[in-house]
Amino acid sequence: MKQWVVACAMVVLTPMLLFAQPSVRTGAIADDADVLAAGRLFSAWLDGQIAYRGLPGVVVGVVAGDELIWSKAFGYADLATKRPMTRDVTFRMASHSKLFTATAIMQLREDGKVRLDDPVSQHLPWFRMAPAGDDDGPVTIETLLTHSSGLQREAGDHWVSWNFPTGDELRALMADRHAAYAPQVRWKYSNLAYSVAGQVVEARSGQSWADYVRDHIFTPLGMSSSSVDKDVPGMATGYGRRMPDGSRETMPFIDARGMAAATGITSNVNDMARFVSAQFRHGARGGNRILSGGSLREMHRVRSVEETWAAGNAIGFAVTRVGDKTYVGHGGSYPGYTTHTLIHPATRVGVIVLTNAGDSDPSAIARQLMNTVGEAAGRRSAPASTVVPWDATWARFAGLYRGRFGDVHVVLLNDRLVVISPNAPTLDGPASLVPIGGGRFRYDARTGGSAIGEVVRFVEENGRVTRVYAGDGYYDRVPD
């Protein structure tokens, strides 16, 4: 049947409990020998990066389930005073703010106040701009959140002048904006789009964006050190890129004003760990579950892709595929600060990198942190699955089966069964039959065009295997 297609410094060494009921495997992940060893390896590497590249300071953290299981502060929060970096130091999170805006929109959707396919103009009557063409169609809330709206990247020269528009100025300038593309043409990053999304939050909630995020995200998660566009005490001093003479410009505090929803949040590794951990929760919204499990799955699912298909966007989250693993997260760049968060939902592990320099390349640091401490933590934190022991009598299911649209061959390997198409040109990626009990199996494959996830069962008559069902389709056994 066609439906069964076979696709050939300051280190935390004990867990800092973020929530009352951690949902990770028993045993202290923070004390795991492999996690500690990976922490030493990563630290040695990052010490070298700071020394050779002259980076001011870095704070990193690794989250597993509900715990910040490893964190470390490197270098200085302020070079002039030699104030050491600590885990409590705050940073401008820049474009991480978009994750909070997207979360707010999804909360309002759960409240029945917006739909993702609503035209933006339905909620913001002033939202008018010159279209890219005469058949563009409406800009929807979803296209704002997935960087597929076609809007210009910015609202003006604020990254050069450091003079960000107020909310009133943002509304006034929209009439002079000209869309670069029609909606859904291609992925195009836009701070302007997220600033508009923040206006939707204000219009539908009746609160300022900053107050809404405080009341509905920061407070439920216990993010007490996080704020919006406030020059709070203890913030790391921000520095520009390293110049040829080794100097760095000291950056002033800059208010994002009407573009806070795109780039205005300040936070630290402790609070961001709470936000990362919230991505792993299931169940109905309530308490520290700031969104339902269903909405979180939607937010993590890719919606638009770059032209290269190497990366793309979900709702708020950037999505990358590295090898056989899919990561969600976001980066941030603000005058004097660059940050990055990388999350692997499958193993319930996330890493956080916060820096006070404009050229630290935190995404590269995050990848190394994930590949070391994150990988070690993931081996302990991945949700435990029920494993049905192998039954040697299942070897009788191996053999050739024939259907109307082709043949499949169930092959016995080392205590497991796989499925191939005998006429396929390669043996790449055979499908697996995963035991689920009662002599039944679940079909597992790399691609989703088959009966993936469905039950596979074998029919026996007079002691002979005669047929296999994969989902609703079946194949008859070819006699040996």
Side-chain angles (χ1 to χ4, degrees):
M1 300 291 288
K2 286 186 176 179
Q3 65 179 7
W4 192 354
V5 180
V6 182
C8 296
M10 174 182 176
V11 188
V12 178
L13 296 180
T14 56
M16 186 185 79
L17 191 62
L18 297 179
F19 304 103
Q21 296 182 335
S23 53
V24 297
R25 291 179 178 177
T26 57
I29 298 177
D31 295 328
D32 181 83
D34 287 342
V35 170
L36 295 175
R40 293 191 294 272
L41 177 64
F42 173 81
S43 296
W45 175 79
L46 190 54
D47 280 336
Q49 295 294 302
I50 290 175
Y52 283 98
R53 296 170 56 194
L55 300 177
V58 181
V59 178
V60 299
V62 179
V63 175
D66 276 350
E67 293 179 280
L68 176 61
I69 58 105
W70 190 87
S71 66
K72 187 170 182 178
F74 300 77
Y76 296 103
D78 185 90
L79 293 173
T81 64
K82 300 299 182 184
R83 175 163 61 100
M85 193 67 81
T86 72
R87 199 178 65 200
D88 296 324
V89 170
T90 55
F91 298 76
R92 299 308 303 273
M93 295 303 301
S95 287
H96 279 90
S97 307
K98 295 177 175 67
L99 300 181
F100 294 81
T101 299
T103 299
I105 289 287
M106 295 299 282
Q107 289 178 335
L108 292 171
R109 192 191 71 160
E110 288 189 347
D111 293 339
K113 296 181 177 180
V114 299
R115 290 170 51 100
L116 293 181
D117 59 356
D118 283 346
V120 175
S121 59
Q122 176 179 325
H123 303 288
L124 304 176
W126 51 264
F127 181 74
R128 295 286 188 274
M129 63 181 176
D134 57 8
D135 62 346
D136 280 13
V139 174
T140 65
I141 291 176
E142 180 176 338
T143 63
L144 295 179
L145 303 182
T146 58
H147 293 300
S148 57
S149 67
L151 267 66
Q152 290 172 286
R153 193 182 197 279
E154 307 297 347
D157 66 356
H158 39 80
W159 292 115
V160 180
S161 66
W162 294 346
N163 182 25
F164 283 78
T166 66
D168 287 340
E169 290 170 340
L170 183 74
R171 289 186 286 272
L173 63 80
M174 280 305 304
D176 295 326
R177 297 281 93 183
H178 193 293
Y181 297 100
Q184 302 286 11
V185 168
R186 64 169 296 170
W187 184 87
K188 175 177 167 49
Y189 194 84
S190 176
N191 285 313
L192 177 59
Y194 263 85
S195 301
V196 172
Q199 296 280 324
V200 173
V201 172
E202 294 189 347
R204 299 308 299 146
S205 70
Q207 293 182 276
S208 70
W209 181 82
D211 286 350
Y212 183 93
V213 169
R214 179 198 63 205
D215 293 346
H216 297 272
I217 302 178
F218 291 168
T219 298
L221 293 181
M223 297 177 65
S224 57
S225 296
S226 299
S227 59
V228 177
D229 280 324
K230 292 181 180 179
D231 191 2
V232 295
M235 188 187 304
T237 300
Y239 298 96
R241 70 188 188 278
R242 191 182 192 189
M243 302 306 290
D245 64 359
S247 65
R248 292 180 181 273
E249 181 182 3
T250 301
M251 298 296 180
F253 176 82
I254 300 169
D255 191 335
R257 303 167 80 188
M259 299 187 71
T263 191
I265 283 179
T266 296
S267 192
N268 63 15
V269 71
N270 300 323
D271 278 8
M272 287 303 297
R274 291 176 167 90
F275 183 77
V276 169
S277 191
Q279 307 308 309
F280 304 138
R281 298 209 173 89
H282 303 285
R285 177 177 157 200
N288 64 15
R289 291 190 299 274
I290 55 175
L291 280 172
S292 68
S295 289
L296 288 172
R297 288 192 296 274
E298 282 189 80
M299 289 189 72
H300 299 162
R301 188 75 173 171
V302 67
R303 298 292 185 105
S304 61
V305 295
E306 255 287 21
E307 297 300 285
T308 61
W309 284 68
N313 241 86
I315 296 175
F317 288 91
V319 182
T320 54
R321 181 80 173 170
V322 180
D324 61 350
K325 295 181 178 179
T326 301
Y327 299 95
V328 300
H330 217 287
S333 180
Y334 207 70
Y337 307 88
T338 50
T339 56
H340 202 87
T341 301
L342 192 63
I343 302 169
H344 188 224
T347 55
R348 295 161 47 85
V349 169
V351 301
I352 302 156
V353 176
L354 311 178
T355 83
N356 59 337
D359 59 353
S360 57
D361 193 4
S363 64
I365 298 173
R367 287 193 297 272
Q368 298 308 310
L369 183 57
M370 180 63 81
N371 291 342
T372 52
V373 185
E375 286 287 334
R379 290 191 288 270
R380 291 288 308 277
S381 66
S385 58
T386 301
V387 177
V388 177
W390 172 257
D391 185 338
T393 66
W394 291 338
R396 69 187 186 276
F397 299 140
L400 182 66
Y401 296 81
R402 181 154 294 157
R404 287 188 178 277
F405 295 97
D407 296 351
V408 297
H409 201 140
V410 178
V411 181
L412 174 65
L413 299 185
N414 184 20
D415 291 347
R416 67 188 183 102
L417 296 171
V418 300
V419 182
I420 66 169
S421 291
N423 64 332
T426 71
L427 280 171
D428 295 342
S432 297
L433 299 185
V434 181
I436 58 174
R440 300 179 306 154
F441 303 81
R442 192 170 305 282
Y443 188 82
D444 188 25
R446 289 183 179 179
T447 58
S450 57
I452 182 172
E454 298 186 47
V455 173
V456 174
R457 59 187 177 87
F458 294 86
V459 177
E460 300 182 85
E461 297 177 358
N462 301 320
R464 293 177 57 252
V465 179
T466 60
R467 180 173 289 179
V468 59
Y469 279 87
D472 296 314
Y474 64 86
Y475 296 76
D476 290 321
R477 178 73 172 263
V478 176
D480 296 333

